[in-house]
């Protein structure tokens, strides 16, 4: 394996920021349209830690480059949803197609099971077939399709909701 999946550390945030901001500017895996600052990511990182939610990075063993990251957090801020989480996975464009999404997802799912999470939810842009197929292979089922609920690059975007019961 060319990659080490490990908990993110504060010094990884600059690399995570580059990956996420590139997706904001060029992709549809996030519908955010304004670049994030390092302070935004620091606040997010701190919030994840306080709530004991994970943030994992995939580090290339040779170059030590952060090739991708994954996290999960509350699905909704209502007590009845406390055992349901929504996750996200982002891969640096140079490392797409090398199995990192699957490796990060398996790590997240393992962490979730250990922390008694019942359901993981994915919210995926309908054109992101690679992500939809990966989730299907990992046992996720499509449970919703929401036409034109968001915008990116001046176009209406459809959202695919998928979920997996973990226990």
């Amino acid at each position: 394996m060319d990659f080490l999946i490990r908990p993110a550390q504060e010094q990884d945030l600059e690399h995570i920021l580059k990956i996420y901001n590139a997706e904001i500017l060029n992709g549809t895996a996030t519908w955010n349209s304004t670049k994030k600052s390092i302070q935004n990511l620091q606040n997010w990182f701190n919030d994840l830690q306080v709530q004991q939610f994970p943030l994992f990075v995939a580090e290339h063993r040779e170059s030590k480059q952060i090739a991708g990251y994954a996290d999960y957090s509350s699905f909704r801020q209502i007590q009845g949803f406390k055992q349901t989480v929504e996750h996200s996975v982002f891969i640096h464009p140079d490392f797409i197609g090398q199995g990192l999404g699957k490796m990060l997802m398996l790590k997240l799912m393992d962490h979730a099971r250990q922390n008694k999470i019942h359901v993981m939810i994915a919210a995926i842009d309908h054109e992101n077939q690679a992500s939809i197929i990966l989730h299907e292979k990992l046992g996720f089922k499509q449970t919703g399709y929401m036409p034109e609920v968001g915008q990116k690059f001046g176009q209406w975007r459809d959202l695919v909701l998928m979920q997996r019961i973990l226990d």
Side-chain angles (χ1 to χ4, degrees):
M1 182 190 296
D2 292 340
F3 299 94
L4 170 67
I5 307 295
R6 62 168 175 79
Q9 300 166 349
E10 202 163 332
Q11 60 265 30
D12 298 322
L13 293 179
E14 287 282 350
H15 302 283
I16 291 170
L17 182 66
K18 287 178 187 168
I19 293 168
Y20 191 67
N21 278 341
E23 189 61 31
I24 288 173
L25 294 175
N26 305 309
T28 56
T30 178
W31 293 348
N32 278 320
S33 55
T34 305
K35 285 174 58 174
K36 298 293 181 186
S37 69
I38 193 64
Q39 188 60 54
N40 294 138
L41 254 66
Q42 185 67 59
N43 294 341
W44 169 67
F45 182 67
N46 293 341
D47 287 346
L48 288 174
Q49 288 186 317
V50 166
Q51 297 176 66
Q52 298 181 328
F53 288 130
L55 174 59
F56 295 112
V57 293
E59 179 183 79
H60 189 259
R61 288 188 193 272
E62 272 186 40
S63 68
K64 303 295 184 200
Q65 182 179 351
I66 300 304
Y69 70 93
D71 72 285
Y72 69 71
S73 59
S74 297
F75 171 61
R76 299 196 58 198
Q77 296 295 327
I78 297 170
Q79 290 167 335
F81 290 105
K82 73 179 183 180
Q83 289 175 287
T84 299
V85 296
E86 182 177 348
H87 66 276
S88 57
V89 177
F90 290 92
I91 307 298
H92 188 286
D94 292 348
F95 295 97
I96 287 172
Q98 298 183 38
L100 282 180
K102 182 178 180 181
M103 290 184 344
L104 285 162
M105 281 295 304
L106 290 171
K107 185 75 170 175
L108 277 183
M109 291 164 68
D110 186 51
H111 184 279
R113 281 187 196 97
Q114 290 175 16
N115 286 276
K116 306 208 181 341
I117 298 299
H118 182 61
V119 175
M120 281 189 96
I121 293 179
I124 306 169
D125 186 279
H126 76 288
E127 289 183 359
N128 190 345
Q129 286 301 305
S131 182
I132 291 168
I133 290 167
L134 171 62
H135 282 82
E136 287 172 345
K137 286 181 181 174
L138 293 173
F140 283 73
K141 303 279 186 244
Q142 181 175 320
T143 53
Y145 189 91
M146 303 174 76
E148 297 187 12
V149 293
Q151 284 192 347
K152 184 82 183 260
F153 306 129
Q155 293 181 316
W156 286 107
R157 309 299 305 173
D158 298 354
L159 189 67
V160 174
L161 295 173
M162 300 183 81
Q163 76 175 60
R164 164 110 191 240
I165 296 173
L166 296 173
D167 51 15

